[in-house]
Coordinates of all heavy atoms in Angstrom, one line a residue:
M1 N 139.8 101.0 246.6 CA 138.8 100.5 245.7 C 138.3 99.1 246.0 O 137.6 98.5 245.3 CB 139.3 100.5 244.2 CG 139.6 101.9 243.7 SD 138.2 103.0 243.7 CE 137.4 102.6 242.2
S2 N 138.8 98.5 247.2 CA 138.4 97.2 247.5 C 136.9 97.0 247.8 O 136.4 96.0 247.6 CB 139.2 96.7 248.7 OG 139.0 97.5 249.8
A3 N 136.3 98.1 248.3 CA 134.9 98.0 248.6 C 134.1 97.8 247.3 O 133.0 97.2 247.3 CB 134.4 99.3 249.2
M4 N 134.5 98.3 246.2 CA 133.8 98.1 244.9 C 133.8 96.7 244.5 O 132.8 96.2 243.9 CB 134.5 98.9 243.8 CG 134.5 100.4 243.9 SD 132.9 101.1 243.7 CE 132.7 101.0 241.9
K5 N 134.8 95.9 244.8 CA 134.9 94.5 244.4 C 133.8 93.7 245.1 O 133.3 92.7 244.4 CB 136.3 94.0 244.7 CG 137.3 94.3 243.7 CD 138.6 93.6 244.0 CE 139.7 93.9 242.9 NZ 141.0 93.5 243.3
S6 N 133.5 94.0 246.3 CA 132.5 93.2 247.0 C 131.1 93.6 246.6 O 130.1 92.9 246.9 CB 132.6 93.4 248.5 OG 132.4 94.8 248.8
C7 N 130.9 94.6 245.8 CA 129.6 95.1 245.3 C 129.4 94.5 244.0 O 130.1 94.7 243.0 CB 129.6 96.6 245.3 SG 127.9 97.2 244.9
P8 N 128.3 93.6 243.8 CA 128.1 92.9 242.6 C 127.7 93.8 241.4 O 127.9 93.5 240.3 CB 126.9 92.0 242.9 CG 126.3 92.5 244.1 CD 127.3 93.3 244.8
S9 N 127.0 95.0 241.7 CA 126.6 95.8 240.6 C 127.3 97.2 240.7 O 127.4 97.7 241.9 CB 125.1 96.0 240.6 OG 124.6 96.4 241.8
P10 N 127.6 97.8 239.6 CA 128.3 99.1 239.7 C 127.3 100.2 240.2 O 126.1 100.1 239.9 CB 128.7 99.4 238.3 CG 127.8 98.6 237.5 CD 127.5 97.4 238.3
E11 N 127.8 101.1 241.0 CA 127.0 102.2 241.6 C 126.4 103.0 240.4 O 127.0 103.2 239.4 CB 127.8 103.1 242.4 CG 127.1 103.5 243.7 CD 127.9 103.3 244.9 OE1 128.0 102.1 245.3 OE2 128.4 104.3 245.4
G12 N 125.1 103.4 240.6 CA 124.5 104.2 239.6 C 123.5 103.4 238.7 O 122.7 103.9 238.1
Q13 N 123.6 102.1 238.8 CA 122.7 101.2 238.1 C 121.3 101.2 238.7 O 120.3 101.1 238.0 CB 123.3 99.8 238.0 CG 122.5 98.9 237.1 CD 123.2 97.6 236.9 OE1 124.3 97.3 237.4 NE2 122.5 96.7 236.2
F14 N 121.3 101.4 240.0 CA 120.0 101.5 240.8 C 120.0 102.9 241.4 O 121.0 103.4 241.8 CB 120.0 100.4 241.8 CG 120.0 99.0 241.3 CD1 121.1 98.3 241.2 CD2 118.8 98.4 240.9 CE1 121.1 97.0 240.7 CE2 118.8 97.1 240.4 CZ 119.9 96.4 240.3
C15 N 118.8 103.4 241.5 CA 118.6 104.6 242.3 C 119.1 104.4 243.7 O 118.8 103.4 244.4 CB 117.1 105.0 242.3 SG 116.8 106.4 243.5
Q16 N 120.0 105.3 244.1 CA 120.6 105.2 245.5 C 119.8 105.7 246.6 O 120.2 105.9 247.7 CB 122.0 105.9 245.5 CG 123.0 105.3 244.5 CD 123.4 103.8 244.9 OE1 123.8 103.5 246.0 NE2 123.1 102.9 243.9
S17 N 118.5 105.8 246.3 CA 117.5 106.2 247.3 C 116.4 105.1 247.5 O 116.2 104.6 248.6 CB 116.9 107.5 247.0 OG 115.8 107.8 247.8
C18 N 115.8 104.7 246.4 CA 114.7 103.8 246.4 C 115.0 102.4 245.8 O 114.3 101.5 246.0 CB 113.5 104.3 245.7 SG 113.6 104.4 243.9
G19 N 116.2 102.3 245.1 CA 116.6 101.0 244.6 C 116.0 100.7 243.3 O 116.2 99.6 242.7
M20 N 115.3 101.6 242.7 CA 114.7 101.3 241.3 C 115.8 101.2 240.3 O 116.7 102.0 240.3 CB 113.7 102.5 241.0 CG 113.1 102.3 239.6 SD 112.0 103.7 239.2 CE 113.1 104.6 238.1
P21 N 115.7 100.2 239.4 CA 116.7 100.1 238.4 C 116.5 101.3 237.4 O 115.4 101.6 237.0 CB 116.4 98.8 237.6 CG 115.3 98.2 238.3 CD 114.7 99.1 239.3
M22 N 117.6 101.9 237.1 CA 117.6 103.0 236.1 C 118.1 102.6 234.8 O 119.3 102.3 234.6 CB 118.4 104.2 236.7 CG 117.8 104.7 238.0 SD 118.2 106.4 238.4 CE 119.9 106.2 238.9
E23 N 117.2 102.5 233.8 CA 117.5 102.0 232.5 C 118.0 103.0 231.5 O 118.5 102.6 230.5 CB 116.4 101.1 232.0 CG 116.4 99.7 232.6 CD 115.0 99.1 232.8 OE1 114.1 99.6 232.1 OE2 114.9 98.2 233.6
G24 N 117.7 104.2 231.8 CA 118.1 105.3 230.8 C 118.0 106.6 231.4 O 117.6 106.8 232.6
A25 N 118.4 107.6 230.6 CA 118.4 109.0 231.1 C 117.0 109.5 231.5 O 116.9 110.3 232.4 CB 118.9 109.9 230.0
G26 N 116.0 108.9 231.0 CA 114.6 109.2 231.3 C 114.3 108.9 232.8 O 113.3 109.4 233.3
D27 N 115.0 107.9 233.3 CA 114.7 107.5 234.7 C 115.6 108.3 235.7 O 115.3 108.2 236.9 CB 115.1 106.0 234.9 CG 114.1 105.1 234.2 OD1 113.0 105.5 234.0 OD2 114.5 104.0 233.8
E28 N 116.5 109.1 235.2 CA 117.4 109.8 236.2 C 116.8 111.0 236.7 O 116.1 111.7 236.0 CB 118.7 110.1 235.4 CG 119.5 108.8 235.1 CD 120.7 109.1 234.1 OE1 120.9 110.3 233.7 OE2 121.4 108.2 233.8
G29 N 117.2 111.3 237.9 CA 116.8 112.6 238.6 C 117.6 113.8 238.0 O 118.4 113.6 237.1
T30 N 117.2 115.0 238.4 CA 117.9 116.2 237.9 C 118.5 117.0 239.0 O 117.9 117.1 240.1 CB 116.9 117.1 237.1 OG1 115.8 117.3 237.9 CG2 116.5 116.4 235.8
D31 N 119.6 117.6 238.7 CA 120.3 118.5 239.6 C 119.7 119.9 239.4 O 118.8 120.1 238.5 CB 121.8 118.5 239.4 CG 122.5 117.4 240.0 OD1 122.1 117.0 241.2 OD2 123.4 116.8 239.4
K32 N 120.1 120.8 240.3 CA 119.6 122.2 240.3 C 119.6 122.8 238.9 O 118.7 123.6 238.5 CB 120.4 123.0 241.3 CG 119.6 124.0 242.1 CD 120.6 124.5 243.2 CE 119.9 125.6 244.0 NZ 120.8 126.0 245.1
D33 N 120.7 122.6 238.2 CA 120.9 123.3 236.9 C 120.3 122.4 235.8 O 120.5 122.7 234.6 CB 122.4 123.5 236.6 CG 123.2 122.2 236.6 OD1 122.6 121.1 236.8 OD2 124.4 122.3 236.5
G34 N 119.6 121.4 236.1 CA 118.8 120.6 235.1 C 119.6 119.4 234.5 O 119.1 118.7 233.7
T35 N 120.9 119.3 234.9 CA 121.7 118.2 234.4 C 121.2 116.9 235.1 O 120.6 116.9 236.2 CB 123.2 118.3 234.7 OG1 123.4 118.5 236.1 CG2 123.7 119.5 233.9
K36 N 121.4 115.8 234.5 CA 120.9 114.5 235.0 C 121.8 114.1 236.2 O 123.0 114.2 236.2 CB 121.0 113.4 233.9 CG 120.1 113.7 232.7 CD 118.6 113.4 233.1 CE 117.7 113.7 231.9 NZ 116.3 113.6 232.3
N37 N 121.1 113.5 237.2 CA 121.8 113.0 238.3 C 121.8 111.5 238.2 O 120.7 110.9 238.3 CB 121.2 113.5 239.6 CG 122.0 113.0 240.8 OD1 122.1 111.8 241.1 ND2 122.5 114.0 241.5
K38 N 122.9 110.8 238.0 CA 122.9 109.4 237.8 C 122.8 108.6 239.1 O 122.7 107.3 239.0 CB 124.2 109.0 237.1 CG 124.3 109.6 235.7 CD 125.5 109.1 234.9 CE 125.8 109.8 233.6 NZ 124.6 109.7 232.7
S39 N 122.8 109.2 240.2 CA 122.7 108.4 241.5 C 121.3 108.2 241.9 O 121.0 107.2 242.5 CB 123.4 109.2 242.6 OG 124.8 109.3 242.3
Y40 N 120.4 109.1 241.5 CA 119.0 109.0 242.0 C 118.0 109.1 240.9 O 118.2 109.8 239.9 CB 118.7 110.2 243.0 CG 119.6 110.1 244.2 CD1 120.6 111.1 244.4 CD2 119.5 109.1 245.1 CE1 121.5 111.0 245.5 CE2 120.4 109.1 246.2 CZ 121.4 110.0 246.4 OH 122.2 109.9 247.5
C41 N 116.9 108.4 241.0 CA 115.8 108.4 240.0 C 115.0 109.7 240.0 O 115.0 110.5 241.0 CB 115.0 107.2 240.1 SG 113.7 107.3 241.4
R42 N 114.2 109.9 239.0 CA 113.4 111.1 238.9 C 112.3 111.2 240.0 O 111.7 112.2 240.2 CB 112.8 111.3 237.5 CG 111.8 110.2 237.1 CD 111.7 110.1 235.6 NE 111.0 108.9 235.2 CZ 109.7 108.8 235.0 NH1 108.9 109.9 235.1 NH2 109.1 107.7 234.6
F43 N 111.9 110.0 240.5 CA 110.9 110.0 241.6 C 111.4 110.5 242.9 O 110.7 111.0 243.7 CB 110.3 108.6 241.7 CG 109.6 108.1 240.4 CD1 110.3 107.1 239.7 CD2 108.5 108.7 239.9 CE1 109.7 106.7 238.5 CE2 107.9 108.2 238.7 CZ 108.5 107.2 238.0
C44 N 112.7 110.3 243.1 CA 113.3 110.6 244.4 C 114.0 112.0 244.4 O 114.1 112.6 245.4 CB 114.4 109.6 244.8 SG 113.7 107.9 245.1
Y45 N 114.5 112.4 243.2 CA 115.4 113.6 243.2 C 115.0 114.4 242.0 O 115.0 114.0 240.9 CB 116.8 113.0 243.1 CG 117.9 114.0 243.4 CD1 118.1 114.4 244.8 CD2 118.7 114.6 242.4 CE1 119.2 115.3 245.1 CE2 119.7 115.5 242.7 CZ 119.9 115.8 244.1 OH 120.9 116.7 244.4
S46 N 114.7 115.7 242.2 CA 114.3 116.6 241.2 C 114.8 118.0 241.5 O 114.6 118.5 242.6 CB 112.8 116.5 241.0 OG 112.4 117.4 240.1
G47 N 115.4 118.6 240.5 CA 115.9 120.0 240.7 C 116.9 120.2 241.8 O 116.9 121.2 242.4
G48 N 117.7 119.1 242.1 CA 118.7 119.2 243.1 C 118.2 118.9 244.5 O 119.0 119.1 245.5
L49 N 117.0 118.5 244.6 CA 116.4 118.2 246.0 C 115.7 116.8 246.0 O 115.2 116.4 245.0 CB 115.3 119.3 246.3 CG 115.8 120.7 246.5 CD1 114.6 121.6 246.5 CD2 116.6 120.9 247.7
F50 N 115.8 116.2 247.1 CA 115.0 115.0 247.3 C 113.5 115.4 247.3 O 113.1 116.4 248.0 CB 115.3 114.3 248.6 CG 116.6 113.5 248.5 CD1 117.7 113.9 249.3 CD2 116.8 112.4 247.7 CE1 118.9 113.2 249.2 CE2 118.0 111.7 247.6 CZ 119.0 112.1 248.4
T51 N 112.7 114.6 246.6 CA 111.3 114.9 246.6 C 110.6 114.7 248.0 O 109.6 115.3 248.3 CB 110.5 114.1 245.6 OG1 110.8 112.7 245.8 CG2 111.0 114.4 244.2
E52 N 111.2 113.8 248.8 CA 110.7 113.6 250.1 C 111.9 113.6 251.1 O 112.5 112.6 251.5 CB 110.0 112.2 250.2 CG 108.7 112.2 249.5 CD 108.0 110.9 249.5 OE1 108.3 110.0 248.7 OE2 107.2 110.7 250.4
P53 N 112.4 114.8 251.4 CA 113.6 115.0 252.2 C 113.6 114.3 253.6 O 114.6 114.0 254.1 CB 113.8 116.5 252.3 CG 112.5 117.1 252.0 CD 111.8 116.1 251.1
D54 N 112.4 114.2 254.2 CA 112.3 113.7 255.5 C 112.0 112.2 255.6 O 111.8 111.7 256.7 CB 111.3 114.5 256.3 CG 111.6 116.0 256.4 OD1 112.9 116.3 256.5 OD2 110.7 116.9 256.3
I55 N 111.9 111.6 254.5 CA 111.5 110.1 254.6 C 112.6 109.3 255.2 O 113.8 109.6 255.1 CB 111.2 109.6 253.1 CG1 110.4 108.3 253.2 CG2 112.4 109.5 252.3 CD1 109.8 107.9 251.8
T56 N 112.2 108.3 256.0 CA 113.2 107.5 256.7 C 113.3 106.2 255.8 O 112.5 105.9 254.9 CB 112.7 107.0 258.1 OG1 111.5 106.2 257.9 CG2 112.4 108.2 259.0
V57 N 114.4 105.5 256.1 CA 114.6 104.2 255.4 C 113.4 103.3 255.5 O 113.1 102.6 254.5 CB 116.0 103.6 255.7 CG1 116.0 103.1 257.1 CG2 116.3 102.5 254.7
E58 N 112.8 103.2 256.7 CA 111.7 102.3 256.9 C 110.5 102.7 256.0 O 109.8 101.9 255.4 CB 111.2 102.3 258.4 CG 112.2 101.6 259.3 CD 113.4 102.5 259.8 OE1 113.3 103.8 259.5 OE2 114.3 102.0 260.3
E59 N 110.3 104.1 256.0 CA 109.2 104.6 255.1 C 109.5 104.3 253.7 O 108.5 104.0 252.9 CB 109.0 106.1 255.4 CG 108.4 106.3 256.7 CD 108.5 107.8 257.2 OE1 109.3 108.6 256.6 OE2 107.7 108.2 258.1
M60 N 110.7 104.4 253.3 CA 111.1 104.2 251.9 C 110.8 102.7 251.5 O 110.3 102.4 250.5 CB 112.6 104.5 251.6 CG 113.0 104.3 250.2 SD 112.0 105.3 249.0 CE 112.9 106.8 249.1
I61 N 111.2 101.8 252.4 CA 110.9 100.4 252.2 C 109.4 100.1 252.0 O 109.0 99.5 251.1 CB 111.5 99.5 253.4 CG1 113.0 99.6 253.3 CG2 111.0 98.1 253.3 CD1 113.7 99.1 254.6
E62 N 108.6 100.7 252.9 CA 107.1 100.6 252.8 C 106.6 101.1 251.5 O 105.7 100.6 250.9 CB 106.5 101.3 254.0 CG 106.6 100.6 255.3 CD 106.1 99.2 255.2 OE1 105.0 98.9 254.7 OE2 106.9 98.3 255.6
K63 N 107.2 102.3 251.1 CA 106.8 102.9 249.8 C 107.0 102.0 248.6 O 106.2 101.7 247.8 CB 107.5 104.2 249.6 CG 107.0 105.1 248.6 CD 107.7 106.4 248.5 CE 107.7 106.9 247.1 NZ 108.4 108.2 247.0
V64 N 108.2 101.4 248.6 CA 108.6 100.5 247.5 C 107.8 99.2 247.5 O 107.3 98.8 246.5 CB 110.2 100.2 247.6 CG1 110.5 99.1 246.6 CG2 111.0 101.4 247.3
V65 N 107.5 98.7 248.7 CA 106.7 97.5 248.9 C 105.3 97.9 248.3 O 104.7 97.1 247.6 CB 106.6 97.1 250.4 CG1 105.5 96.0 250.5 CG2 107.9 96.5 250.8
G66 N 104.8 99.1 248.6 CA 103.5 99.5 248.1 C 103.4 99.5 246.6 O 102.5 99.1 245.9
I67 N 104.5 100.1 246.0 CA 104.6 100.2 244.5 C 104.6 98.8 243.9 O 103.9 98.5 242.9 CB 105.8 101.0 244.1 CG1 105.7 102.5 244.6 CG2 106.0 101.0 242.6 CD1 106.9 103.3 244.5
M68 N 105.5 97.9 244.5 CA 105.7 96.6 243.9 C 104.4 95.8 244.0 O 104.1 94.9 243.2 CB 106.8 95.9 244.7 CG 108.2 96.5 244.4 SD 108.8 96.3 242.7 CE 109.4 94.7 242.8
K69 N 103.6 96.1 245.1 CA 102.4 95.4 245.3 C 101.4 95.7 244.2 O 100.7 94.8 243.7 CB 101.8 95.8 246.7 CG 101.0 94.8 247.4 CD 100.8 95.1 248.8 CE 99.4 95.7 249.1 NZ 99.2 96.1 250.5
V70 N 101.4 97.0 243.8 CA 100.5 97.4 242.7 C 100.9 96.7 241.4 O 100.1 96.3 240.6 CB 100.5 99.0 242.6 CG1 99.8 99.4 241.3 CG2 99.9 99.6 243.8
M71 N 102.2 96.7 241.2 CA 102.8 96.0 240.0 C 102.6 94.5 240.0 O 102.6 93.9 239.0 CB 104.3 96.4 239.8 CG 104.5 97.8 239.5 SD 106.2 98.3 239.7 CE 106.9 97.7 238.1
N72 N 102.4 94.0 241.2 CA 102.1 92.5 241.4 C 103.1 91.6 240.7 O 102.8 90.6 240.1 CB 100.7 92.3 240.7 CG 100.0 91.1 241.4 OD1 100.4 90.7 242.5 ND2 98.9 90.6 240.8
L73 N 104.4 91.9 241.0 CA 105.5 91.1 240.4 C 105.9 90.0 241.3 O 106.4 89.0 240.9 CB 106.7 92.0 240.1 CG 106.5 93.1 239.1 CD1 107.7 94.0 239.0 CD2 106.2 92.6 237.7
M74 N 105.7 90.2 242.6 CA 106.2 89.3 243.6 C 105.2 89.3 244.8 O 104.6 90.3 245.1 CB 107.6 89.7 244.2 CG 108.8 89.2 243.4 SD 110.3 89.4 244.4 CE 110.8 91.0 244.1
P75 N 105.2 88.2 245.5 CA 104.3 88.2 246.8 C 104.9 89.3 247.7 O 106.1 89.5 247.8 CB 104.5 86.8 247.4 CG 105.1 86.0 246.3 CD 105.8 86.9 245.3
E76 N 104.0 89.9 248.5 CA 104.3 91.1 249.3 C 105.5 90.7 250.3 O 106.4 91.5 250.5 CB 103.1 91.5 250.1 CG 103.4 92.8 250.9 CD 102.2 93.4 251.6 OE1 101.0 93.1 251.2 OE2 102.4 94.1 252.5
E77 N 105.4 89.5 250.9 CA 106.4 89.2 251.9 C 107.8 89.1 251.3 O 108.8 89.4 251.9 CB 106.1 88.0 252.8 CG 105.9 86.7 252.0 CD 104.5 86.5 251.5 OE1 103.7 87.5 251.3 OE2 104.1 85.3 251.4
K78 N 107.8 88.6 250.0 CA 109.1 88.5 249.3 C 109.7 89.9 249.0 O 110.9 90.1 249.1 CB 108.9 87.8 247.9 CG 108.8 86.3 248.1 CD 110.1 85.6 247.8 CE 110.1 84.1 248.0 NZ 111.5 83.6 248.3
V79 N 108.8 90.8 248.5 CA 109.2 92.1 248.2 C 109.7 92.8 249.5 O 110.8 93.5 249.5 CB 108.0 93.0 247.7 CG1 108.3 94.4 247.5 CG2 107.4 92.4 246.4
R80 N 109.0 92.6 250.6 CA 109.4 93.3 251.9 C 110.8 92.8 252.3 O 111.6 93.5 252.8 CB 108.3 92.9 252.9 CG 108.5 93.8 254.2 CD 107.3 93.5 255.1 NE 106.0 93.9 254.5 CZ 105.5 95.1 254.6 NH1 106.1 96.0 255.2 NH2 104.3 95.3 254.0
E81 N 111.0 91.5 252.1 CA 112.3 90.9 252.5 C 113.4 91.5 251.6 O 114.4 91.9 252.1 CB 112.2 89.4 252.3 CG 113.1 88.5 253.1 CD 113.0 87.1 252.7 OE1 111.9 86.5 253.0 OE2 113.9 86.5 252.1
A82 N 113.2 91.5 250.3 CA 114.2 92.0 249.4 C 114.4 93.5 249.6 O 115.6 93.9 249.7 CB 113.7 91.7 247.9
A83 N 113.4 94.3 249.7 CA 113.5 95.7 249.9 C 114.2 96.0 251.2 O 115.1 96.9 251.3 CB 112.2 96.4 249.8
G84 N 113.8 95.3 252.2 CA 114.4 95.5 253.6 C 115.9 95.2 253.6 O 116.6 95.7 254.5
A85 N 116.3 94.3 252.8 CA 117.8 93.9 252.7 C 118.5 94.8 251.8 O 119.7 95.2 252.1 CB 117.9 92.5 252.3
F86 N 117.9 95.3 250.7 CA 118.6 96.0 249.7 C 118.7 97.5 250.0 O 119.7 98.2 249.9 CB 118.0 95.7 248.3 CG 118.6 96.4 247.2 CD1 120.0 96.3 247.0 CD2 117.8 97.2 246.3 CE1 120.5 97.0 245.9 CE2 118.4 97.8 245.2 CZ 119.8 97.7 245.0
I87 N 117.5 98.1 250.3 CA 117.4 99.6 250.4 C 118.4 100.2 251.4 O 119.1 101.2 251.1 CB 116.0 100.0 250.6 CG1 115.2 99.7 249.3 CG2 115.9 101.5 251.0 CD1 113.7 99.9 249.3
P88 N 118.5 99.6 252.6 CA 119.5 100.2 253.6 C 120.9 100.2 253.1 O 121.7 100.9 253.7 CB 119.3 99.3 254.8 CG 118.0 98.7 254.7 CD 117.8 98.5 253.2
T89 N 121.3 99.4 252.1 CA 122.7 99.4 251.6 C 122.9 100.6 250.6 O 124.1 100.8 250.2 CB 123.0 98.1 250.9 OG1 122.3 98.0 249.7 CG2 122.7 96.9 251.8
L90 N 121.9 101.2 250.2 CA 122.0 102.3 249.2 C 122.7 103.5 249.8 O 122.6 103.8 251.0 CB 120.7 102.6 248.6 CG 120.0 101.5 247.8 CD1 118.5 101.9 247.5 CD2 120.7 101.1 246.6
E91 N 123.3 104.3 248.9 CA 124.1 105.5 249.3 C 123.4 106.5 250.2 O 123.9 107.0 251.2 CB 124.5 106.2 248.0 CG 125.8 107.0 248.2 CD 126.3 107.4 246.8 OE1 127.0 106.7 246.1 OE2 126.0 108.5 246.4
R92 N 122.1 106.7 249.9 CA 121.4 107.7 250.7 C 121.2 107.3 252.2 O 121.1 108.2 253.1 CB 120.0 107.9 250.1 CG 119.2 109.0 250.8 CD 117.8 109.2 250.1 NE 117.1 110.2 250.9 CZ 115.8 110.6 250.6 NH1 115.2 110.1 249.5 NH2 115.2 111.5 251.3
W93 N 121.2 106.0 252.4 CA 120.9 105.5 253.8 C 122.1 105.1 254.5 O 122.0 104.7 255.7 CB 119.9 104.4 253.7 CG 118.7 104.7 252.8 CD1 118.5 104.2 251.6 CD2 117.7 105.7 253.0 NE1 117.4 104.8 251.0 CE2 116.9 105.7 251.9 CE3 117.5 106.6 254.0 CZ2 115.8 106.6 251.7 CZ3 116.4 107.5 253.9 CH2 115.6 107.5 252.8
R94 N 123.3 105.1 253.9 CA 124.5 104.7 254.5 C 125.0 105.8 255.4 O 125.0 106.9 255.0 CB 125.6 104.3 253.5 CG 125.6 102.8 253.2 CD 126.7 102.5 252.2 NE 126.2 102.2 250.9 CZ 126.9 102.4 249.7 NH1 128.0 103.0 249.7 NH2 126.3 102.0 248.6
E95 N 125.5 105.4 256.6 CA 126.0 106.4 257.5 C 127.4 106.8 257.1 O 128.2 105.9 256.8 CB 126.0 105.9 258.9 CG 124.6 105.7 259.5 CD 123.8 107.0 259.5 OE1 124.4 108.1 259.7 OE2 122.6 106.9 259.4
Ligands
ZN101 ZN1 114.6 106.6 243.5

């Protein structure tokens, strides 16, 4: 469990595919039998499948940068920097 200690936030708090914060059951993806999946958000995972099974980590970063750009919360280069550092550490992209 030593790996958990170095991780500042508990797993499941963010979607382990796109990094979106999951604030409630409404944000969670669903498994094949319709139960909520706490690891992935509803945009990434639905009915037991990834909505974009062939997306690469680079493409995911671009996608998140695009979404954040629309939301206009941070300058694009800041978003790109943060997403590029954070997303590859998520469960889906870890080897
Ligand atoms: Zn997601």
Side-chain angles (χ1 to χ4, degrees):
M1 298 302 274
S2 58
M4 294 290 285
K5 276 185 179 165
S6 62
C7 188
S9 55
E11 218 131 286
Q13 191 172 354
F14 296 95
C15 169
Q16 294 298 304
S17 168
C18 70
M20 181 182 98
M22 295 203 287
E23 275 148 22
D27 290 334
E28 292 169 359
T30 50
D31 280 318
K32 220 170 174 177
D33 60 4
T35 57
K36 296 286 181 189
N37 185 297
K38 293 184 190 306
S39 298
Y40 300 109
C41 78
R42 65 198 167 94
F43 301 108
C44 292
Y45 196 75
S46 175
L49 298 166
F50 283 116
T51 56
E52 292 177 273
D54 300 322
I55 196 169
T56 64
V57 64
E58 288 82 14
E59 288 165 343
M60 181 60 83
I61 291 164
E62 285 308 309
K63 194 178 148 177
V64 170
V65 169
I67 293 167
M68 295 292 278
K69 213 163 99 179
V70 171
M71 291 167 81
N72 209 14
L73 298 173
M74 271 197 273
E76 185 176 340
E77 62 268 30
K78 281 265 177 203
V79 176
R80 194 173 296 273
E81 203 183 292
F86 181 52
I87 291 173
T89 70
L90 299 171
E91 208 168 272
R92 184 176 178 184
W93 313 112
R94 266 184 250 151
E95 293 299 327

